Amino acid sequence: MGAMNAASHTRVALDAGWIDLRLRRGVIRGDEIRLTSREASLLAYLVERAGATVPTDELLIEVWEYAPGLVSRAVHNTVRRLRDKIEDEPQTPAHLHTEHGVGFRWESAVPRVLPGADGASGASVAVVAVGAAPGPA
């Protein structure tokens, strides 16, 4: 899967918590969640392109490594599962948006401080680059 690489962001802040993409887990509304490798790869790909609508075909090629022109509901199904896990209201998402007939867009959370494992402050950004802040213990 091409979405996760050394330059990828690892920790994503959400209104209701955070997700570590490298570890494929996070805390949302006080509950621990786990992402599949495909969910984490899709989320990483979209977060790296925050604000831009990414065509479904591009996601199938770059994240799923499918052949160009292949028709599949894989992206839509994965987006639905992700929304159920990370959005307060999956039917009216704050972060993971659908551009009907085109693709999907990630909108970052309001920047805030992400605490490190020891409770110390991390960087005051919505997405923290790999190695910039310690993950949970």
Side-chain angles (χ1 to χ4, degrees):
M1 287 176 265
M4 296 290 286
N5 59 48
S8 293
H9 297 293
T10 185
R11 205 157 191 208
V12 180
L14 302 167
D15 295 334
W18 57 268
I19 298 171
D20 187 306
L21 296 171
R22 190 175 40 83
L23 297 176
R24 298 187 347 238
R25 67 183 188 98
V27 175
I28 305 293
R29 292 175 293 284
D31 295 324
E32 184 173 349
I33 65 158
R34 296 203 179 267
L35 301 180
T36 65
S37 60
R38 190 72 73 191
E39 290 166 345
S41 293
L42 173 60
L43 190 52
Y45 198 86
L46 292 171
V47 166
E48 289 173 353
R49 293 153 182 79
T53 300
V54 181
T56 304
D57 290 346
E58 179 179 334
L59 294 169
L60 286 170
I61 293 166
E62 297 299 326
V63 178
W64 271 259
E65 298 180 349
Y66 285 0
L70 185 73
V71 177
S72 173
R73 296 285 303 165
V75 177
H76 298 83
N77 293 333
T78 304
V79 165
R80 181 182 41 79
R81 287 194 315 270
L82 267 174
R83 283 184 181 142
D84 288 343
K85 291 179 181 182
I86 68 171
E87 295 282 4
D88 284 329
E89 296 180 37
Q91 298 303 318
T92 55
H95 303 290
L96 189 48
H97 299 275
T98 301
E99 294 294 329
H100 293 285
V102 180
F104 299 91
R105 183 182 75 252
W106 177 261
E107 293 295 335
S108 295
V110 175
R112 63 188 172 109
V113 174
L114 295 177
D118 61 358
S121 294
S124 181
V125 294
V127 178
V128 180
V130 172

